[in-house]
């Protein structure tokens, strides 16, 4: 499906034509669920870390501690992305690519509701790493 947008010179954040209010509500709910999941994940990691860290160090399982640290960092990163997407919903800029400013395809947002970039720009960013 080709993604078109209605352009109005007075509106700095035109709404993608294929995102209905129902789509936005469903995406917002998905983001809220992800936020709750990541917050709980971080609470569990943080609560278990002292006891587990001591036991793991005693058994010289530093690699498991490293995995926990990386998992927590990843959860924090996703949580920040989710929070940013919810803020974009609130300010009206949600669903638009941060690079090319074109609408992000609804299908992409359904899969990755916190997406900041359209599929094309995401590929360009990843190729440049």
């Amino acid at each position: 499906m080709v993604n078109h947008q209605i352009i109005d010179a007075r509106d700095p954040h035109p709404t993608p034509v294929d995102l209905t209010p129902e789509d936005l509500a469903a995406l917002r709910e998905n983001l809220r669920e992800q936020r709750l999941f990541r917050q709980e994940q971080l609470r569990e990691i943080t609560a278990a870390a002292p006891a587990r860290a001591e036991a793991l160090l005693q058994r010289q399982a530093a690699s498991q501690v490293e995995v926990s640290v990386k998992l927590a960092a990843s959860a924090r990163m996703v949580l920040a992305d989710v929070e940013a997407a919810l803020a974009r919903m609130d300010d009206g800029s949600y669903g638009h690519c941060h690079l090319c400013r074109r609408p992000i395809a609804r299908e992409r947002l359904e899969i990755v509701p916190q997406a900041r970039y359209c599929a094309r720009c995401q590929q360009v960013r990843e190729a440049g790493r």
Side-chain angles (χ1 to χ4, degrees), residues 1-7 11 13-21 23-24 27 92-97 101-106 109:
M1 175 189 318
V2 177
N3 217 348
H4 297 284
Q5 73 185 54
I6 300 170
I7 298 176
D11 185 358
H13 304 293
T15 303
V17 173
D18 63 348
L19 280 182
T20 66
D23 291 335
L24 284 171
L27 291 165
S93 63
Y94 180 80
H96 290 86
C97 180
R101 304 289 183 216
R102 291 187 176 138
I104 299 171
R106 178 174 42 98
L109 291 172

Short mmCIF file of all heavy atoms in Angstrom, two decimals, residues 1-7 11 13-21 23-24 27 92-97 101-106 109:
data_model
loop_
_atom_site.label_atom_id
_atom_site.label_comp_id
_atom_site.label_asym_id
_atom_site.label_seq_id
_atom_site.Cartn_x
_atom_site.Cartn_y
_atom_site.Cartn_z
N MET A 1 0.85 -1.17 0.00
CA MET A 1 0.00 0.00 0.00
C MET A 1 0.90 1.23 0.00
O MET A 1 1.85 1.31 0.75
CB MET A 1 -0.89 0.00 1.24
CG MET A 1 -1.71 1.27 1.33
SD MET A 1 -2.63 1.50 2.88
CE MET A 1 -3.28 -0.07 3.23
N VAL A 2 0.61 2.19 -0.83
CA VAL A 2 1.36 3.43 -0.87
C VAL A 2 0.87 4.34 0.23
O VAL A 2 -0.33 4.49 0.45
CB VAL A 2 1.19 4.12 -2.25
CG1 VAL A 2 1.91 5.45 -2.27
CG2 VAL A 2 1.69 3.23 -3.35
N ASN A 3 1.79 4.94 0.93
CA ASN A 3 1.46 5.81 2.06
C ASN A 3 1.42 7.25 1.58
O ASN A 3 2.40 7.78 1.12
CB ASN A 3 2.54 5.63 3.13
CG ASN A 3 2.00 5.68 4.51
OD1 ASN A 3 0.86 6.07 4.71
ND2 ASN A 3 2.81 5.29 5.47
N HIS A 4 0.27 7.89 1.68
CA HIS A 4 0.11 9.28 1.28
C HIS A 4 -0.18 10.10 2.52
O HIS A 4 -0.64 9.58 3.52
CB HIS A 4 -1.04 9.45 0.29
CG HIS A 4 -0.81 8.70 -0.98
ND1 HIS A 4 0.05 9.14 -1.96
CD2 HIS A 4 -1.31 7.53 -1.42
CE1 HIS A 4 0.04 8.28 -2.96
NE2 HIS A 4 -0.77 7.29 -2.65
N GLN A 5 0.05 11.38 2.43
CA GLN A 5 -0.31 12.24 3.56
C GLN A 5 -1.01 13.48 3.03
O GLN A 5 -0.80 13.89 1.90
CB GLN A 5 0.91 12.61 4.39
CG GLN A 5 1.84 13.62 3.74
CD GLN A 5 3.08 13.85 4.56
OE1 GLN A 5 3.76 12.90 4.89
NE2 GLN A 5 3.38 15.07 4.87
N ILE A 6 -1.85 14.04 3.87
CA ILE A 6 -2.52 15.29 3.54
C ILE A 6 -1.61 16.41 4.04
O ILE A 6 -1.24 16.44 5.21
CB ILE A 6 -3.89 15.37 4.22
CG1 ILE A 6 -4.76 14.21 3.73
CG2 ILE A 6 -4.54 16.72 3.97
CD1 ILE A 6 -6.05 14.04 4.50
N ILE A 7 -1.23 17.31 3.17
CA ILE A 7 -0.31 18.37 3.56
C ILE A 7 -1.08 19.68 3.68
O ILE A 7 -1.79 20.09 2.78
CB ILE A 7 0.84 18.51 2.53
CG1 ILE A 7 1.64 17.21 2.50
CG2 ILE A 7 1.71 19.70 2.86
CD1 ILE A 7 2.73 17.18 1.48
N ASP A 11 -0.13 23.01 9.31
CA ASP A 11 0.07 21.88 10.19
C ASP A 11 1.49 21.33 10.02
O ASP A 11 1.79 20.71 9.02
CB ASP A 11 -0.96 20.79 9.87
CG ASP A 11 -0.89 19.62 10.83
OD1 ASP A 11 -0.04 19.63 11.75
OD2 ASP A 11 -1.70 18.70 10.68
N HIS A 13 2.79 18.84 11.46
CA HIS A 13 2.79 17.39 11.58
C HIS A 13 1.56 16.82 10.90
O HIS A 13 0.60 16.44 11.57
CB HIS A 13 2.80 16.97 13.05
CG HIS A 13 3.94 17.53 13.82
ND1 HIS A 13 5.23 17.17 13.59
CD2 HIS A 13 3.98 18.45 14.80
CE1 HIS A 13 6.02 17.83 14.41
NE2 HIS A 13 5.28 18.62 15.15
N PRO A 14 1.53 16.76 9.56
CA PRO A 14 0.35 16.22 8.90
C PRO A 14 0.11 14.78 9.31
O PRO A 14 1.04 14.04 9.59
CB PRO A 14 0.70 16.32 7.41
CG PRO A 14 2.18 16.45 7.36
CD PRO A 14 2.61 17.08 8.64
N THR A 15 -1.14 14.40 9.38
CA THR A 15 -1.52 13.06 9.80
C THR A 15 -1.45 12.11 8.61
O THR A 15 -1.99 12.41 7.55
CB THR A 15 -2.97 13.06 10.35
OG1 THR A 15 -3.02 14.00 11.42
CG2 THR A 15 -3.37 11.70 10.83
N PRO A 16 -0.79 10.96 8.78
CA PRO A 16 -0.79 9.98 7.69
C PRO A 16 -2.23 9.56 7.40
O PRO A 16 -3.00 9.32 8.33
CB PRO A 16 0.02 8.81 8.26
CG PRO A 16 0.79 9.38 9.40
CD PRO A 16 -0.02 10.52 9.92
N VAL A 17 -2.58 9.49 6.14
CA VAL A 17 -3.94 9.19 5.74
C VAL A 17 -4.37 7.81 6.22
O VAL A 17 -5.52 7.61 6.60
CB VAL A 17 -4.07 9.27 4.20
CG1 VAL A 17 -5.43 8.78 3.74
CG2 VAL A 17 -3.85 10.69 3.74
N ASP A 18 -3.47 6.84 6.29
CA ASP A 18 -3.89 5.49 6.61
C ASP A 18 -3.88 5.18 8.11
O ASP A 18 -4.13 4.06 8.49
CB ASP A 18 -3.08 4.47 5.83
CG ASP A 18 -1.61 4.49 6.17
OD1 ASP A 18 -1.15 5.45 6.83
OD2 ASP A 18 -0.90 3.56 5.76
N LEU A 19 -3.63 6.15 8.98
CA LEU A 19 -3.74 5.92 10.43
C LEU A 19 -5.04 6.52 10.94
O LEU A 19 -5.18 7.72 11.04
CB LEU A 19 -2.56 6.55 11.18
CG LEU A 19 -1.25 5.79 11.18
CD1 LEU A 19 -0.20 6.54 12.00
CD2 LEU A 19 -1.41 4.40 11.71
N THR A 20 -5.97 5.65 11.26
CA THR A 20 -7.26 6.10 11.76
C THR A 20 -7.15 6.37 13.26
O THR A 20 -6.19 5.92 13.90
CB THR A 20 -8.34 5.03 11.52
OG1 THR A 20 -8.01 3.89 12.33
CG2 THR A 20 -8.43 4.65 10.05
N PRO A 21 -8.12 7.06 13.84
CA PRO A 21 -8.11 7.22 15.30
C PRO A 21 -8.08 5.87 16.03
O PRO A 21 -7.45 5.74 17.07
CB PRO A 21 -9.42 7.98 15.58
CG PRO A 21 -9.68 8.75 14.32
CD PRO A 21 -9.19 7.84 13.21
N ASP A 23 -6.63 3.14 14.85
CA ASP A 23 -5.25 2.66 14.72
C ASP A 23 -4.37 3.30 15.80
O ASP A 23 -3.59 2.62 16.47
CB ASP A 23 -4.65 3.01 13.34
CG ASP A 23 -5.27 2.24 12.20
OD1 ASP A 23 -5.80 1.14 12.43
OD2 ASP A 23 -5.23 2.75 11.07
N LEU A 24 -4.50 4.62 15.94
CA LEU A 24 -3.70 5.33 16.93
C LEU A 24 -4.01 4.85 18.34
O LEU A 24 -3.10 4.66 19.16
CB LEU A 24 -3.92 6.84 16.83
CG LEU A 24 -3.22 7.52 15.66
CD1 LEU A 24 -3.69 8.96 15.53
CD2 LEU A 24 -1.72 7.46 15.81
N LEU A 27 -2.35 1.46 18.76
CA LEU A 27 -0.90 1.62 18.88
C LEU A 27 -0.52 2.21 20.23
O LEU A 27 0.46 1.78 20.86
CB LEU A 27 -0.37 2.49 17.73
CG LEU A 27 -0.43 1.85 16.35
CD1 LEU A 27 -0.25 2.89 15.26
CD2 LEU A 27 0.62 0.75 16.23
N GLY A 92 1.63 15.18 18.48
CA GLY A 92 1.14 15.15 17.10
C GLY A 92 2.17 14.78 16.05
O GLY A 92 1.87 14.81 14.87
N SER A 93 3.38 14.41 16.46
CA SER A 93 4.40 14.07 15.46
C SER A 93 4.55 12.57 15.27
O SER A 93 5.37 12.13 14.46
CB SER A 93 5.75 14.68 15.87
OG SER A 93 6.20 14.14 17.10
N TYR A 94 3.74 11.78 15.96
CA TYR A 94 3.83 10.32 15.86
C TYR A 94 3.50 9.87 14.44
O TYR A 94 2.61 10.40 13.79
CB TYR A 94 2.85 9.66 16.83
CG TYR A 94 2.90 8.16 16.79
CD1 TYR A 94 3.90 7.47 17.44
CD2 TYR A 94 1.96 7.42 16.08
CE1 TYR A 94 3.96 6.08 17.41
CE2 TYR A 94 2.00 6.04 16.03
CZ TYR A 94 3.01 5.37 16.70
OH TYR A 94 3.06 4.00 16.65
N GLY A 95 4.23 8.85 13.98
CA GLY A 95 3.95 8.26 12.68
C GLY A 95 4.67 8.91 11.53
O GLY A 95 4.41 8.59 10.37
N HIS A 96 5.61 9.82 11.84
CA HIS A 96 6.38 10.48 10.79
C HIS A 96 7.86 10.21 11.02
O HIS A 96 8.35 10.27 12.15
CB HIS A 96 6.13 11.99 10.78
CG HIS A 96 4.76 12.32 10.29
ND1 HIS A 96 3.67 12.34 11.12
CD2 HIS A 96 4.31 12.59 9.05
CE1 HIS A 96 2.60 12.62 10.41
NE2 HIS A 96 2.95 12.78 9.15
N CYS A 97 8.56 9.90 9.95
CA CYS A 97 9.98 9.57 10.00
C CYS A 97 10.79 10.77 10.49
O CYS A 97 10.56 11.90 10.05
CB CYS A 97 10.44 9.15 8.61
SG CYS A 97 12.20 8.73 8.53
N ARG A 101 10.76 12.79 7.16
CA ARG A 101 9.50 13.44 7.57
C ARG A 101 8.26 12.87 6.87
O ARG A 101 7.17 13.39 7.02
CB ARG A 101 9.54 14.96 7.35
CG ARG A 101 10.67 15.64 8.05
CD ARG A 101 10.42 15.65 9.53
NE ARG A 101 11.49 16.38 10.20
CZ ARG A 101 11.96 16.04 11.36
NH1 ARG A 101 11.50 15.00 11.99
NH2 ARG A 101 12.92 16.73 11.92
N ARG A 102 8.42 11.79 6.12
CA ARG A 102 7.27 11.15 5.48
C ARG A 102 6.58 10.25 6.49
O ARG A 102 7.17 9.83 7.47
CB ARG A 102 7.73 10.33 4.27
CG ARG A 102 8.22 11.19 3.15
CD ARG A 102 8.49 10.37 1.92
NE ARG A 102 8.87 11.23 0.82
CZ ARG A 102 9.85 10.97 -0.02
NH1 ARG A 102 10.53 9.85 0.09
NH2 ARG A 102 10.14 11.80 -0.97
N PRO A 103 5.32 9.92 6.23
CA PRO A 103 4.61 9.02 7.14
C PRO A 103 5.28 7.64 7.18
O PRO A 103 5.78 7.15 6.17
CB PRO A 103 3.22 8.91 6.53
CG PRO A 103 3.07 10.11 5.68
CD PRO A 103 4.45 10.42 5.15
N ILE A 104 5.26 7.04 8.35
CA ILE A 104 5.74 5.67 8.51
C ILE A 104 4.54 4.76 8.22
O ILE A 104 3.43 5.02 8.69
CB ILE A 104 6.26 5.44 9.94
CG1 ILE A 104 7.44 6.38 10.23
CG2 ILE A 104 6.65 3.98 10.16
CD1 ILE A 104 7.89 6.39 11.67
N ALA A 105 4.76 3.72 7.46
CA ALA A 105 3.68 2.81 7.08
C ALA A 105 2.99 2.23 8.31
O ALA A 105 3.64 1.86 9.29
CB ALA A 105 4.23 1.68 6.21
N ARG A 106 1.68 2.16 8.26
CA ARG A 106 0.88 1.62 9.35
C ARG A 106 1.34 0.21 9.69
O ARG A 106 1.45 -0.15 10.87
CB ARG A 106 -0.60 1.61 8.97
CG ARG A 106 -1.48 1.02 10.06
CD ARG A 106 -2.97 1.15 9.74
NE ARG A 106 -3.31 0.87 8.37
CZ ARG A 106 -3.77 -0.31 7.94
NH1 ARG A 106 -3.96 -1.29 8.78
NH2 ARG A 106 -4.06 -0.48 6.68
N LEU A 109 4.33 0.38 11.88
CA LEU A 109 3.98 0.83 13.23
C LEU A 109 3.27 -0.27 14.02
O LEU A 109 3.40 -0.34 15.24
CB LEU A 109 3.13 2.09 13.17
CG LEU A 109 3.87 3.33 12.68
CD1 LEU A 109 2.89 4.48 12.46
CD2 LEU A 109 4.98 3.73 13.64
#
